[in-house]
Amino acid sequence: MTAQVETFEFQAEVRQLLQLMIHSIYSNKDAFLRELVSNASDALDKLRLEAFRDKDLQVDTDDLHIELAVDKDARTLTVRDNGIGMTRDDVVRLIGTIAKSGTAEFLRQVRESQDAAGAQDLIGQFGVGFYASFMVADKVELVTRYAGEAEGTRWESGGEGTYTIEPVADAPQGTSVILHLKAADAEEQLTDYTTPWKLREIVKRYSDFITWPIRMETTKPAVDEDSEPTTEVETLNSMKALWARPQSEVTAEEYSEFYRHIANDWAEPLKTVQMSAEGTFEYQALLFIPSHAPLDLFMRDAHRGIQLYVKRVFIMDDCESLIPEYLRFVKGVVDAADLSLNVSRETLQQDRQIQLIRRRLVKKILSTVKDLRGVDAEKYKTFWTEFGRAVKEGLVQDTDNRDAILEICSFDSTLDPEQPTSLRGYVERMKEGQQHIYYMTGDSRSVIENSPHLEAFRDKGYEVLVLTDPIDEMWVDAVPEYDGKQFQSIAKGQVDLDTEEDEERKAEYADFLTWMSESLKDAVKEVRLSKRLTTSPACVVGDSGDLAPNLEKMYRAMGHELPQVKRILELNPTHPLVAGLRAAHAERPEDESLAETASLLHDMAVLAEGGELADSARFIRLLAGRLERSL
């Protein structure tokens, strides 16, 4: 029977990606082998796990390995494994398309990258390493058979617009990737990858820690004229699980290479954290804090980077039960000794040992960052710049560790626009008698610095935290205090800056405030005199229990129906505009134009804090009329 060869077109994004690969966006083309070996290792992990789960699966797991085979005459390099393999549908789904979200963003950033190293970093983050084969090969063949199935599949492509697929009757279990290599070219940084020493060097550099043997048949030259050259199978990697080795026996470079493998990242890790526990339950963990945030850090489908092993047997990637969402950027491996191999994500969530491990991992990571702040300010600054927004999510999500999270947080403040502060530093600088940690939230530092709410605080020398991240709107309401000092928004409620209350002035303005409140009743909850203004005529503030404007805007953008939140208008009695309006109302209480002036005053206060007017057209019409009459 003649095998049916079918031709398919690549997904549009794959065609673009292949062209980028072929035109060498990697500066170091050796990376193709690292990617293929990593894929092969994953296939072996999956086969061993599947064989454990399915006792009826007829597979031999006694000699799982990866093999490199070279044919110098044909100029081919084959990377072969006897792992789980792929079905025909798997081949079409995994090789012909890129299902991973963010591909368009990846392609855009690669095009904009100004150097090859930048492009390498991006490729690593998006996990599209198989396509790196086309950097070094004119044609790539893939022959695979899924474990337990009778028929295999051959995939072939020259990296252009199409690929072919056909059934293969006698394919061995596992996957073979056959690269028809391009000629060596020094200008294009193309090495001769049929050279055994080069393959040995790449494996040692990138894949020495792979737990499966990587083998290659090598030829030994004749020792004398009477003997013949001999061949032997050489194991190229040490297969030592890095997390199981004492720290004193592992070099910084080995840690870095392991991190690059599990994180698909070409950069160095910012910090390495190794820990273990013995006794009631045993585990080993090797964690890494990256030096830059992944592109999907704030995407809804962002993955958590902890791999779970049980006695060095791979269980799952992205083990959500081991790390909270706000630490999702941490990469690494946890190897537990006493868990069942037959576990699922659902059962892990309820597993007591997993919960204990999780708690210890979180405490260790937070304490490591706290120590980093004290011993290496530059590394801490990098950490907070890259991951601070995510860490602050923990102030809402993780009440058990809230105090520890607060200790590692940094915040901009009015003290120094260039130097963020810790809460500990803020409290140590508090004025005598100051009872609150003052803060203000807003869209940007410039909006907050120009806000009328800051005037009295600035004049009296009070430091105010400048909070501009969206998450800040949420955690300040969830966190009651720090070190016995309550958080107080300078844009909410009454403020007490030790200003003596002028009862006489309050009495003078009583009728005026009543009229203003009635005139603006559809827009504000109350009109009162302000203690926080020194130069601006008015500002709007929220009641102590009200939803912040930015948070209200966020909820409405997400489709939540919310009742109107009326705010309080505060007036500066020393400002000529406010004093003049009061005097005019006292003289001409029936003058309808004064109500328009009151409305303009309110709208000006809303705009001054960066808010949006309910009726901007009316504001412009009133303002234009006033300007016209002033000419």
Side-chain angles (χ1 to χ4, degrees):
M1 183 174 65
T2 303
Q4 180 66 38
V5 180
E6 297 179 85
T7 300
F8 297 85
E9 286 194 358
F10 281 114
Q11 180 190 26
E13 288 87 350
V14 177
R15 290 199 300 272
Q16 297 175 52
L17 182 59
L18 287 172
Q19 289 305 307
L20 289 169
M21 288 289 185
I22 291 168
H23 291 91
S24 304
I25 56 176
Y26 272 96
S27 62
N28 185 355
K29 294 181 173 60
D30 294 353
F32 84 93
L33 187 55
R34 182 199 69 172
E35 300 294 342
L36 295 181
V37 168
S38 179
N39 291 346
S41 177
D42 289 345
L44 294 170
D45 287 335
K46 290 173 182 176
L47 177 66
R48 186 167 180 179
L49 182 60
E50 191 61 27
F52 177 84
R53 288 176 173 170
D54 185 357
K55 300 301 183 185
D56 296 327
L57 188 64
Q58 299 298 312
V59 292
D60 183 4
T61 60
D62 290 338
D63 185 28
L64 299 180
H65 64 277
I66 302 164
E67 180 184 351
L68 307 183
V70 170
D71 186 330
K72 281 185 171 291
D73 295 333
R75 287 202 55 75
T76 62
L77 169 64
T78 301
V79 181
R80 182 181 299 122
D81 68 75
N82 56 347
I84 193 70
M86 289 183 281
T87 65
R88 180 189 180 283
D89 290 342
D90 289 338
V91 172
V92 174
R93 178 172 56 86
L94 298 175
I95 308 298
T97 63
I98 302 179
K100 187 175 179 64
S101 63
T103 303
E105 172 70 8
F106 162 69
L107 291 168
R108 182 187 67 77
Q109 293 205 29
V110 167
R111 293 191 194 96
E112 292 178 359
S113 180
Q114 297 299 309
D115 55 71
Q120 288 179 174
D121 293 343
L122 294 171
I123 289 173
Q125 291 177 55
F126 276 84
V128 290
F130 170 79
Y131 301 99
S133 304
F134 288 97
M135 294 188 306
V136 300
D138 291 317
K139 182 174 71 173
V140 177
E141 295 178 61
L142 181 145
V143 178
T144 184
R145 179 171 65 83
Y146 189 76
E149 291 199 351
E151 187 175 69
T153 302
R154 180 191 300 277
W155 177 97
E156 185 176 315
S157 178
E160 300 298 332
T162 63
Y163 59 92
T164 62
I165 288 183
E166 63 179 305
V168 178
D170 56 350
Q173 173 196 301
T175 301
S176 297
V177 180
I178 304 102
L179 308 180
H180 296 260
L181 297 167
K182 298 176 182 178
D185 188 332
E187 289 187 5
E188 293 293 326
Q189 297 180 320
L190 269 172
T191 306
D192 184 358
Y193 293 107
T194 64
T195 308
W197 70 263
K198 181 61 179 176
L199 299 177
R200 194 179 293 112
E201 175 193 89
I202 297 172
V203 169
K204 187 68 178 175
R205 181 178 180 187
Y206 294 121
S207 306
D208 190 55
F209 49 82
I210 294 290
T211 54
W212 305 106
I214 304 171
R215 299 171 183 165
M216 179 174 64
E217 188 176 273
T218 57
T219 302
K220 299 291 185 182
V223 294
D224 53 48
E225 295 180 357
D226 298 328
S227 61
E228 296 290 332
T230 58
T231 59
E232 63 179 39
V233 176
E234 178 184 357
T235 299
L236 306 181
N237 60 323
S238 68
M239 296 176 288
K240 293 180 180 178
L242 225 59
W243 58 87
R245 293 162 59 185
Q247 287 181 269
S248 58
E249 296 180 6
V250 184
T251 66
E253 180 59 27
E254 285 178 308
Y255 279 133
S256 295
E257 290 303 333
F258 185 73
Y259 164 75
R260 293 182 187 119
H261 167 68
I262 63 172
N264 288 320
D265 185 2
W266 280 82
E268 296 282 327
L270 187 70
K271 187 68 177 175
T272 301
V273 181
Q274 189 164 0
M275 56 189 296
S276 61
E278 298 178 355
T280 307
F281 65 98
E282 298 181 5
Y283 69 90
Q284 296 168 317
L286 179 57
L287 308 178
F288 300 93
I289 298 174
S291 56
H292 60 86
L295 294 173
D296 65 350
L297 182 61
F298 294 103
M299 293 181 183
R300 183 171 296 180
D301 58 351
H303 295 296
R304 303 180 206 180
I306 304 297
Q307 298 177 354
L308 175 64
Y309 283 71
V310 175
K311 297 179 181 177
R312 302 193 191 182
V313 176
F314 173 77
I315 301 299
M316 68 179 69
D317 279 318
D318 307 320
C319 185
E320 296 177 0
S321 300
L322 281 170
I323 205 80
E325 188 176 2
Y326 69 93
L327 296 177
R328 57 189 174 275
F329 53 85
V330 175
K331 309 295 182 184
V333 167
V334 171
D335 191 348
D338 301 319
L339 286 177
S340 166
L341 288 178
N342 192 20
V343 293
S344 66
R345 294 185 186 274
E346 291 73 24
T347 57
L348 282 176
Q349 291 174 0
Q350 309 301 324
D351 190 280
R352 178 176 171 273
Q353 290 190 18
I354 287 292
Q355 295 307 310
L356 287 171
I357 294 173
R358 174 187 171 118
R359 285 199 287 271
R360 293 186 181 182
L361 294 183
V362 170
K363 289 185 182 299
K364 182 65 173 179
I365 293 166
L366 296 179
S367 66
T368 297
V369 175
K370 183 179 179 180
D371 294 343
L372 192 66
R373 184 176 208 155
V375 300
D376 195 329
E378 280 304 309
K379 280 192 174 183
Y380 168 79
K381 182 180 179 181
T382 298
F383 168 84
W384 192 253
T385 300
E386 296 292 327
F387 306 112
R389 283 176 59 198
V391 170
K392 284 189 286 187
E393 295 172 13
L395 294 172
V396 180
Q397 301 168 357
D398 189 356
T399 56
D400 291 340
N401 291 294
R402 183 175 286 163
D403 290 342
I405 297 171
L406 286 173
E407 289 292 348
I408 68 171
C409 288
S410 282
F411 304 99
D412 288 340
S413 83
T414 54
L415 179 70
D416 185 344
E418 303 297 328
Q419 188 65 38
T421 182
S422 65
L423 288 177
R424 180 66 56 197
Y426 180 100
V427 170
E428 290 173 354
R429 292 189 298 271
M430 286 173 61
K431 285 180 170 294
E432 185 176 352
Q434 182 179 343
Q435 297 301 314
H436 298 95
I437 298 173
Y438 294 116
Y439 71 88
M440 184 173 177
T441 59
D443 291 332
S444 68
R445 185 181 185 96
S446 62
V447 168
I448 294 175
E449 286 183 332
N450 293 312
S451 169
H453 300 99
L454 265 181
E455 292 173 358
F457 291 87
R458 186 184 290 115
D459 285 355
K460 293 182 176 295
Y462 284 94
E463 183 177 356
V464 177
L465 300 181
V466 177
L467 307 180
T468 57
D469 289 332
I471 188 63
D472 292 331
E473 299 282 4
M474 302 181 70
W475 75 257
V476 290
D477 288 331
V479 179
E481 63 176 27
Y482 170 79
D483 197 24
K485 306 293 183 182
Q486 290 188 329
F487 290 92
Q488 172 66 53
S489 169
I490 66 169
K492 274 188 179 182
Q494 295 274 18
V495 297
D496 183 8
L497 298 180
D498 298 325
T499 303
E500 292 185 7
E501 185 63 51
D502 190 342
E503 294 296 334
E504 185 177 340
R505 178 177 285 163
K506 211 173 177 187
E508 287 177 5
Y509 274 78
D511 292 342
F512 175 66
L513 294 175
T514 300
W515 168 76
M516 282 278 287
S517 296
E518 179 63 25
S519 179
L520 298 173
K521 64 181 180 181
D522 292 335
V524 301
K525 181 185 298 185
E526 177 189 354
V527 181
R528 68 191 182 200
L529 297 183
S530 178
K531 296 180 182 180
R532 69 188 93 213
L533 297 174
T534 59
T535 58
S536 297
C539 69
V540 285
V541 300
D543 233 344
S544 55
D546 284 350
L547 204 60
N550 280 355
L551 196 55
E552 181 185 355
K553 191 187 304 181
M554 287 168 53
Y555 282 133
R556 292 190 189 280
M558 291 187 290
H560 294 283
E561 294 292 335
L562 298 174
Q564 180 186 5
V565 180
K566 290 185 179 180
R567 304 180 71 200
I568 298 167
L569 179 65
E570 289 192 350
L571 303 178
N572 178 3
T574 65
H575 194 280
L577 176 57
V578 175
L581 181 58
R582 185 191 72 85
H585 176 260
E587 294 175 5
R588 310 187 304 277
E590 304 302 325
D591 189 344
E592 294 183 359
S593 67
L594 297 180
E596 293 181 352
T597 304
S599 178
L600 284 171
L601 187 59
H602 167 262
D603 289 352
M604 288 164 54
V606 172
L607 292 175
E609 71 161 7
E612 296 179 1
L613 299 180
D615 190 349
S616 56
R618 179 175 181 272
F619 173 77
I620 293 171
R621 185 173 63 254
L622 292 177
L623 182 60
R626 294 302 175 93
L627 292 175
E628 181 183 353
R629 289 193 292 273
S630 71
L631 297 176

